[in-house]
Amino acid sequence: MTEPMASIAGSLSVADVMGRLSLRRKVFHSEADLQFEFGHTLQELDPAIEVRLERPVRLDGTSTYLDMLCIKGDARTAIEFKYFTQRWSSDGQVDGDEFVLRSHAARDLARRNVVRDIRRVEGFTQALDGNGIAILLTNDKALWEKPGRALTTRDRNFHLHEGRSLGGHLVWGREEENNASNLDLTGSYKLLWRVYAQIASPHLDLRYLAVETR
């Protein structure tokens, strides 16, 4: 299933950028590595796009930092990134480099943090009068595959699997609990994953999720 991809600064789609980026870099050492290369590819495709990293934005009465702000004329796009990996080591060089990916935090925290990014991007969208995109790149198929049984885990409302509709009031843990991990999303989002890169030996399957807010 496909849908039009989010526009970056009224110029490029996420698919444009990720497609070009994957030709040069199939794997990244870190989230910062991904952000830098994404910004470089943006400007390679459209030199008129200005890219600002770690841009301070006034949000909910306090100053916070946005991963990337893209500007072209009057168009502005706020972007938040997450790069969640499971352990993998390259067999020799990939795109001229060697890689050792480590396992990150528990999947439940990864899901929660991505939903937090979507909520943050909703806020940035209003503050900057533009659109926003939350991007997750991962090699962990448990994040894009639908669970095979009913969920009773504390992150059951935060799952990000293919085809899910995400929105509204999301409770972390038991319904009666009232904690800082509960989140309210203004919009409703259909979650659709795309293949970023695949490596045969040793096997690596990287996919990405891009959620746009307006």
Side-chain angles (χ1 to χ4, degrees), residues 11-12 20 39-51 71-72:
S11 175
L12 302 168
R20 173 67 70 88
H40 177 78
T41 302
L42 264 178
Q43 294 192 307
E44 183 180 76
L45 290 169
D46 187 348
I49 295 178
E50 298 179 46
V51 176
I71 305 169
K72 183 177 181 180

